[in-house]
Amino acid sequence: MQGYDLIIWDWNGTLLDDLWLALDVANRMLEHRGLPTMDQDRYREIFDFPVSEYYRRAGFDFDREPFESLADEFIAGYNARLRECRLHARVPRLLEAFEREGTAQSVLSASRQESLIDALAHYELTGYFGSIAGLADHFAVSKIDAGHRLLARSRPQHPVLVGDTVHDFEVADALGVDCILVGCGHHPMNRLRATGARVYESLDDLPLPM
């Protein structure tokens, strides 16, 4: 991680351990509709961006219910229990270490901006980040435009994006920045390795600054 002047962290699945909650809320929705539920392996294989494609793969029928209504239901169930989630174990130590080193840090998330700000405040992380970039809604289409705006504000020389999904790699590629992926979130290691990015099993393996 040495040599970077800005670390752009993804939020869900990367810093926040919310895989179990996303799966549980989705399974409750599927069960309510009489549809087959998913185990964690199935979820991680089909989860994707835009999330509307993941909803289709999970079995939801947009001819019966529009994606927007399903997304509203999911986010209501997710937000109601968000504070049951914990940060991944090494997060405070990592953020403190990079702050102490003088490396700038930001968050780039597919979460709605207001929800992201509230969540970071709840977990007492706001002060670590010079920029917090979410989306205007909770439909999680893409983070690329938000990433461009973040870079325009920050103007780093050598940034890196740290995330947990193939979309994080796609975002980094579109932004022209380096990418590191961690297998502790919403995509399995085989999907992450297929991108060709540098991949670690978890944040525990991410090198701390000297």
Side-chain angles (χ1 to χ4, degrees):
M1 297 288 286
Q2 287 186 315
Y4 295 111
D5 60 349
L6 173 64
I7 301 172
I8 305 168
W9 298 98
D10 171 59
W11 173 237
N12 302 94
T14 302
L15 299 179
L16 184 69
D17 183 8
D18 69 343
L19 167 61
W20 67 271
L21 177 57
L23 176 59
D24 188 66
V25 174
N27 275 338
R28 288 172 186 262
M29 291 173 61
L30 290 167
E31 189 172 26
H32 178 70
R33 290 162 175 81
L35 297 170
T37 57
M38 304 174 282
D39 62 15
Q40 182 171 291
D41 289 343
R42 172 65 176 163
Y43 169 85
R44 296 177 89 208
E45 283 296 336
I46 68 171
F47 180 76
D48 225 332
F49 289 88
V51 294
S52 57
E53 292 306 309
Y54 148 66
Y55 276 54
R56 288 186 191 276
R57 295 171 190 169
F60 294 105
D61 185 350
F62 293 168
D63 290 331
R64 292 188 173 188
E65 296 176 277
F67 163 68
E68 291 79 8
S69 296
L70 292 164
D72 287 345
E73 181 179 341
F74 173 85
I75 206 66
Y78 177 92
N79 284 342
R81 299 173 58 196
L82 172 63
R83 295 188 180 190
E84 296 176 28
C85 295
R86 297 182 178 181
L87 300 172
H88 283 293
R90 205 180 181 213
V91 167
R93 184 182 174 197
L94 279 170
L95 299 182
E96 289 168 9
F98 288 114
E99 181 181 60
R100 191 165 53 247
E101 184 195 41
T103 303
Q105 301 179 86
S106 294
V107 171
L108 175 61
S109 173
S111 297
R112 191 169 65 94
Q113 178 75 7
E114 292 81 359
S115 299
L116 177 61
I117 290 171
D118 289 346
L120 292 173
H122 170 71
Y123 291 99
E124 300 181 347
L125 299 180
T126 307
Y128 290 109
F129 305 118
S131 185
I132 297 170
L135 303 186
D137 55 46
H138 54 248
F139 300 132
V141 175
S142 174
K143 301 188 289 190
I144 292 174
D145 288 344
H148 280 299
R149 291 191 293 271
L150 187 156
L151 290 180
R153 290 192 300 269
S154 305
R155 304 178 69 85
Q157 296 299 308
H158 196 191
V160 61
L161 190 154
V162 182
D164 69 307
T165 68
V166 172
H167 183 58
D168 289 309
F169 172 78
E170 294 168 345
V171 171
D173 186 58
L175 299 179
V177 307
D178 287 354
C179 183
I180 295 173
L181 299 174
V182 290
C184 56
H186 294 263
H187 276 176
M189 292 291 288
N190 64 299
R191 293 186 68 185
L192 301 181
R193 288 186 176 123
T195 66
R198 196 181 347 163
V199 179
Y200 294 98
E201 290 275 354
S202 73
L203 292 178
D204 291 339
D205 303 313
L206 210 62
L208 286 168
M210 300 296 289

